[in-house]
Structures are given as structure tokens and as C-alpha cells.
Amino acid sequence: MVPGFNTDFKYRGETYHVQTEDNGVGNPVVVTLLYHKGAILASRRTPYNELVGKPGFEQELARLMKSQHKDLMRALLAGAYDKNGAAPAPAGAPTQRVAALDSGVDWSRV
């Protein structure tokens, strides 16, 4: 089992939390949840049965987890979960913001 990630960050003046976990080889699914004010705003689940037991399994799993974690953050920053229908951020901006948020995530644990 690869350690998960937890990231708190601000978007439009509000604090959001993204959590990514590996359910383990007994239930090979990576789960990422986006929280706002304690409620789950969005979730993504990716099975990884095809990776189990292959050479480099843990490294590939870590890449999958990091990618899914960042993708959900990018979606939020692009306006995908805005309740008020606000226009998405300009192209490129979400990637730049997520890159800036990387400094707050300990990616070395994987």
C-alpha cells in the first residue's frame, strides 16, 4: 500500500481539501475525494487491477495517485465545481496554480 496525499488549499476565498488513498491490493482502487466545509464535493475512483504484481508496481501506483490527486485539484481550479456557474479560469491558469500548490504536498513519501 502506497501512502496517500492530503492537500488543503484556497480557491475563490474558500478552503478545500483533497484526499487521495490507495485501498490496497485486496481492493485495488485509488480513491480521491474533494471536500468543502466537511462535505464531499466530488470523488474519483480508479481501479488498478492490471498493475498488481507487475515490475515497478509501487512506482506506477504512486504516479497514478499523484496524477489523480492533481487532476481533481485542476478541475476545481478550472471552475468545474462552481455552484454559481462562474466562468472557468483561463486556459493554463489551473495548471499554474496546481504547480504552485505542489510546494504544500510531500510527494517524496511515495
Side-chain angles (χ1 to χ4, degrees):
M1 185 184 275
V2 175
F5 306 113
N6 287 287
T7 306
D8 289 317
F9 63 101
K10 294 243 185 220
Y11 170 66
R12 296 187 184 219
E14 297 283 334
T15 300
Y16 292 82
H17 179 79
V18 177
Q19 176 181 334
T20 299
E21 296 178 332
D22 165 26
N23 283 346
V25 294
N27 181 19
V29 177
V30 171
V31 178
T32 302
L33 301 171
L34 171 65
Y35 293 91
H36 182 242
K37 296 182 179 179
I40 296 173
L41 189 61
S43 67
R44 296 219 176 136
R45 297 175 187 335
T46 304
Y48 62 88
N49 308 23
E50 71 283 354
L51 295 179
V52 177
K54 289 190 174 182
F57 159 70
E58 287 196 359
Q59 293 83 359
E60 285 301 313
L61 177 56
R63 277 191 273 281
L64 169 65
M65 291 173 68
K66 181 178 178 180
S67 175
Q68 184 166 295
H69 191 85
K70 291 173 86 171
D71 284 349
L72 199 55
M73 292 168 66
R74 282 187 188 102
L76 173 72
L77 294 172
Y81 305 107
D82 287 356
K83 292 181 183 176
N84 60 5
T95 300
Q96 293 164 355
R97 285 189 219 143
V98 170
L101 292 170
D102 270 348
S103 62
V105 178
D106 185 5
W107 300 116
S108 66
R109 295 181 311 152
V110 296

